[in-house]
């Protein structure tokens, strides 16, 4: 067995679709309820879907030598709930992450994320009645409609993750070109 691996080898990418985890292996989509392991790293990258740019979080989860990368939109209920529950527990201990998705009778959707440790689901660290140091949502008017701006909360959660996982949290800065002066011709 060689110590060399290809990029992505031994890594399973997970996305969230309507409250379920999804992965594609050999062209076949597999659906799961949740993922368990230890979070080792978090990074943020810009991505594009159908011409629209968005930021996503890559959450690296290790379990028995396997690495899972859970990808979620930063501006989503999944991300905010994930952070809020994780903060209430022990972020560097083993976690079970289970996304949720509901649609009410009016068609309004609600996305979230449950985290359990030691067989118990974690409550949110911040609530409406006890917001702590979480910045409040800002009310803005857009095309005559009242909307909520959560950009300060997203910045808060990204900063909190960096504080917990240190240098493992990578920001959205462009990669620097590496100058290789090894003298090798390749």
């Amino acid at each position: 067995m060689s110590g060399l691996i290809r990029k992505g080898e031994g890594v399973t990418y997970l996305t969230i679709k309507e409250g379920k985890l999804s992965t594609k292996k050999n062209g076949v989509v597999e659906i799961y309820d949740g993922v368990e392991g230890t979070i080792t790293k978090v990074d943020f990258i810009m991505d594009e879907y159908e011409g629209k740019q968005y930021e996503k979080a890559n959450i690296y989860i290790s379990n028995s030598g396997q690495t899972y990368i859970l990808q979620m939109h930063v501006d989503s209920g999944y991300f905010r709930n994930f952070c809020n529950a994780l903060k209430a527990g022990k972020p560097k201990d083993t976690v079970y992450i289970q996304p949720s998705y509901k649609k009410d009778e009016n068609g309004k959707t609600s996305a979230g994320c449950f985290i359990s440790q030691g067989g118990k689901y974690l409550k949110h660290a911040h609530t409406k009645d006890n917001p702590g140091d979480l910045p409040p949502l800002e009310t803005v008017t857009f095309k005559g409609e009242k909307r909520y701006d959560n950009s300060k909360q997203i910045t808060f959660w990204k900063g909190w993750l960096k504080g917990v996982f240190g240098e493992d949290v990578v920001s959205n800065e462009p990669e620097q070109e590496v100058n290789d002066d090894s003298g090798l011709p390749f």
Side-chain angles (χ1 to χ4, degrees):
M1 179 158 170
S2 169
L4 299 173
I5 61 171
R6 290 182 181 90
K7 186 177 183 177
E9 191 174 302
V11 173
T12 301
Y13 288 88
L14 301 168
T15 58
I16 302 173
K17 183 168 173 86
E18 295 185 354
K20 297 289 184 184
L21 298 180
S22 172
T23 186
K24 196 173 196 178
K25 293 181 182 177
N26 301 321
V28 178
V29 174
E30 296 180 13
I31 305 296
Y32 298 93
D33 292 324
V35 61
E36 182 175 47
T38 304
I39 299 170
T40 59
K41 176 180 171 179
V42 178
D43 65 25
F44 300 94
I45 61 170
M46 291 304 291
D47 207 344
E48 183 179 323
Y49 181 71
E50 294 182 351
K52 293 183 180 180
Q53 294 262 335
Y54 68 94
E55 187 175 26
K56 71 179 175 184
N58 288 326
I59 300 151
Y60 293 72
I61 302 162
S62 179
N63 187 332
S64 302
Q66 176 66 35
T67 299
Y68 302 95
I69 301 176
L70 174 58
Q71 302 175 316
M72 63 179 76
H73 288 251
V74 171
D75 189 7
S76 72
Y78 295 121
F79 180 75
R80 291 186 306 276
N81 280 209
F82 165 81
C83 293
N84 206 352
L86 187 64
K87 186 176 182 189
K90 296 178 181 176
K92 293 190 174 187
D93 287 0
T94 299
V95 295
Y96 175 71
I97 303 166
Q98 180 181 359
S100 70
Y101 180 84
K102 294 179 192 172
K103 190 182 270 192
D104 69 14
E105 61 276 353
N106 298 324
K108 185 177 178 184
T109 60
S110 173
C113 198
F114 295 105
I115 295 181
S116 67
Q117 284 185 317
K120 295 181 181 177
Y121 282 98
L122 302 174
K123 298 199 181 294
H124 285 178
H126 303 283
T127 63
K128 189 183 278 189
D129 294 333
N130 185 15
D133 54 349
L134 181 67
L137 290 172
E138 293 184 348
T139 306
V140 295
T141 304
F142 180 73
K143 294 185 179 180
E145 286 187 37
K146 180 175 150 181
R147 305 255 174 128
Y148 295 99
D149 178 2
N150 62 7
S151 57
K152 288 183 179 177
Q153 288 186 352
I154 291 170
T155 300
F156 172 85
W157 288 123
K158 288 171 62 176
W160 177 77
L161 287 168
K162 183 173 183 168
V164 171
F165 295 101
E167 294 306 311
D168 287 338
V169 176
V170 179
S171 69
N172 207 12
E173 297 172 15
E175 291 183 24
Q176 299 291 321
E177 187 173 319
V178 177
N179 184 8
D180 179 10
D181 15 303
S182 64
L184 297 175
F186 52 92

